[in-house]
Amino acid sequence: MSFIEVKHIKKTFKVPIKSDGKFGALKTFFNRKYNYIKAISDISFSIKKGEIVGYIGPNGAGKSTTIKILSGILVPDSGNVVIDKMTPWIDRKKYVSKIGVVFGQRSQLWWDIPAIDSFNLLKDIYKLEDSEYQKTLNELIELLNLKDIINIPVRQLSLGNRMKCEIAASLIHRPKILFLDEPTIGLDAVSKKIVREFIKKINKQNKVTVILTTHDMADIEALAKRIILIGKGQLLYDGSLTKLKRKYDYLRKITVITKDKVKLENDCVVEQNTIDDGIEFIIDIRKIEINEFIKLISSKISISDIDIDSGNIDELIVKLYEDFKI
C-alpha cells in the first residue's frame, strides 16, 4: 500500500486584473475582472514509505502548488490526497506533527535569537517529552555538526550553517515525511555535501520519506532514484532516473591514455578520435556497459590511464524539457 496517494488533484488561482490609467484602481474596485490560472491539472501519483523522490519541473510548472497541497497549506479544487491515512487539509492538526518542511528561501528560525532557542520553542509547540527531545537534539547536533553554531544568533550565521539549522528544526519532532524545497540553494560545495549525506542518512536510518523539489540537478542525482516531472501543471514523467538517462543521456566520452594504436570496429562506438597521448571514444551505453567496454579495449591495447565522462544531468533535463515542449 502506498504511503502517499495523490489522485486527480487540480488547482486554479483567481487573479484580479488591474486597470491601467489615472482612475485604474477605482475602475478595478467597481468593475473587477479576473484571470484564471491553472496551476495544476489532474495530477496523480503514489509514493512508498521511505522513498526519496525528486519532484522537478521548470518555473511555473506547479511544483510549489503541489507541495503546498501535500503539506496541507492549500486545498485542491478537486481530487484527493491521502498521506499516512490522513488528508492534509482535513486532519491538519494531527498531520503537521508528522511532517517536516524546509524552504530554501524562507526561514522557520527566529532571526535575532540563537537556533537553540528556536529548537526549544519548537519542542513546546510539538509538545515533545524532555527525554525524547534531548535525544533527538543531540543526534542532530552530532550529525549536522551544530555544536559550535547553535548558540549564535541566526542572523550572524553563514547561509550554509543556517540551512543546517533549518533542517535540524524541521526534524526536531522526528517527522515521517520531509518536504524539501531548494534545500541547498546558495550553499558551497562542502555544505551541499553535508546536507545531501545527512538526508541520505535519515532516510536510511529512520525510513523518512523525502520529496525534493530543486533546480539543482546534482541534488536529484545524488539523492533520488525516482523523479516525477511536471510541466504546465501536468505530470509528464514518473520513473527512475536510470531509465531517463538511458533514453536521453546515452553517450559517454571515454579517454584512454595509451601509446598503442587501435581502430575499434564495434556498433557501440559512435565516434573514435586520436589525441596527443591516446584515443578518445564516444560510446553508446545502451549497447554496452562502461565496464564491459573497458574490458574490451583493455584486451586490445595497453592502457596507462583512463578518464570517463559521467554525463551531465542538467543537459539531460534540458533535453527532456525540449522533448515535452515545456
Side-chain angles (χ1 to χ4, degrees):
M1 185 177 177
S2 300
F3 186 62
I4 297 174
E5 194 73 48
V6 177
K7 292 184 178 179
H8 307 295
I9 58 171
K10 298 180 181 180
K11 186 66 180 179
T12 299
F13 292 105
K14 184 179 176 182
V15 181
I17 301 172
K18 292 184 178 180
S19 300
D20 295 328
K22 188 175 181 180
F23 300 104
L26 196 60
K27 289 177 183 176
T28 299
F29 181 78
F30 287 106
N31 185 24
R32 181 157 292 188
K33 296 179 181 179
Y34 298 91
N35 275 331
Y36 292 87
I37 301 171
K38 279 189 177 181
I40 50 176
S41 305
D42 198 19
I43 287 180
S44 300
F45 58 83
S46 59
I47 297 173
K48 294 178 181 177
K49 184 175 176 60
E51 269 195 285
I52 299 180
V53 177
Y55 195 66
I56 65 172
N59 289 331
K63 302 187 301 296
S64 295
T65 300
T66 307
I67 295 302
K68 286 175 182 177
I69 289 172
L70 295 184
S71 56
I73 296 171
L74 289 177
V75 179
D77 298 332
S78 61
N80 194 32
V81 176
V82 177
I83 302 178
D84 195 20
K85 300 178 181 178
M86 292 176 283
T87 300
W89 56 91
I90 295 174
D91 306 299
R92 183 161 173 74
K93 190 172 182 180
K94 181 181 178 184
Y95 176 69
V96 293
S97 67
K98 308 292 183 184
I99 67 171
V101 183
V102 176
F103 291 105
Q105 300 184 63
R106 298 180 185 89
S107 179
Q108 62 183 315
L109 302 171
W110 279 260
W111 197 246
D112 293 312
I113 62 175
I116 187 62
D117 292 338
S118 292
F119 297 161
N120 290 335
L121 185 56
L122 289 169
K123 167 188 174 288
D124 293 333
I125 290 172
Y126 287 111
K127 299 178 181 178
L128 303 176
E129 295 289 335
D130 289 343
S131 58
E132 177 189 6
Y133 166 71
Q134 201 58 52
K135 180 183 177 183
T136 305
L137 180 62
N138 290 340
E139 287 177 6
L140 291 169
I141 288 172
E142 182 179 352
L143 289 170
L144 285 167
N145 195 22
L146 303 177
K147 186 178 179 181
D148 296 330
I149 63 174
I150 58 171
N151 291 303
I152 300 173
V154 171
R155 58 183 165 78
Q156 295 179 16
L157 296 177
S158 67
L159 180 57
N161 284 334
R162 182 172 65 78
M163 281 310 303
K164 288 193 287 184
C165 290
E166 292 282 357
I167 291 172
S170 70
L171 294 168
I172 206 76
H173 57 298
R174 290 188 177 271
K176 294 181 178 181
I177 312 150
L178 187 59
F179 297 106
L180 299 174
D181 184 14
E182 301 283 0
T184 64
I185 189 168
L187 301 190
D188 58 52
V190 175
S191 297
K192 283 185 179 184
K193 184 178 179 182
I194 291 171
V195 169
R196 288 168 185 161
E197 290 300 319
F198 176 72
I199 292 167
K200 284 193 280 189
K201 184 172 283 189
I202 62 163
N203 170 256
K204 186 176 181 179
Q205 289 181 352
N206 304 332
K207 301 297 181 186
V208 175
T209 304
V210 180
I211 298 179
L212 169 67
T213 68
T214 180
H215 290 294
D216 188 340
M217 298 315 300
D219 285 346
I220 298 293
E221 192 168 31
L223 295 169
K225 292 181 180 178
R226 173 187 171 194
I227 64 168
I228 296 174
L229 170 71
I230 65 168
K232 299 178 181 177
Q234 297 179 319
L235 192 147
L236 303 175
Y237 176 85
D238 182 356
S240 74
L241 190 55
T242 303
K243 286 182 180 178
L244 205 61
K245 283 184 175 182
R246 286 197 168 274
K247 184 175 181 181
Y248 291 95
D249 190 29
Y250 49 82
L251 297 181
R252 290 292 181 274
K253 182 170 72 174
I254 298 179
T255 305
V256 176
I257 307 303
T258 181
K259 294 179 181 178
D260 299 338
K261 304 292 181 184
V262 67
K263 179 63 179 176
L264 201 60
E265 300 293 342
N266 193 302
D267 66 349
C268 71
V269 179
V270 177
E271 188 178 328
Q272 176 178 329
N273 299 303
T274 301
I275 56 176
D276 289 342
D277 51 358
I279 308 168
E280 183 181 274
F281 298 95
I282 307 294
I283 69 165
D284 187 335
I285 60 172
R286 296 173 300 179
K287 297 178 179 179
I288 190 170
E289 297 287 343
I290 290 175
N291 62 330
E292 290 299 322
F293 179 78
I294 292 171
K295 286 180 185 178
L296 174 65
I297 197 68
S298 298
S299 68
K300 297 183 179 296
I301 59 174
S302 176
I303 299 173
S304 58
D305 199 3
I306 191 166
D307 179 71
I308 301 169
D309 183 353
S310 61
N312 189 309
I313 186 71
D314 288 308
E315 289 180 7
L316 182 153
I317 297 299
V318 169
K319 289 176 186 175
L320 189 62
Y321 289 174
E322 288 173 351
D323 194 36
F324 284 109
K325 296 180 174 60
I326 61 173

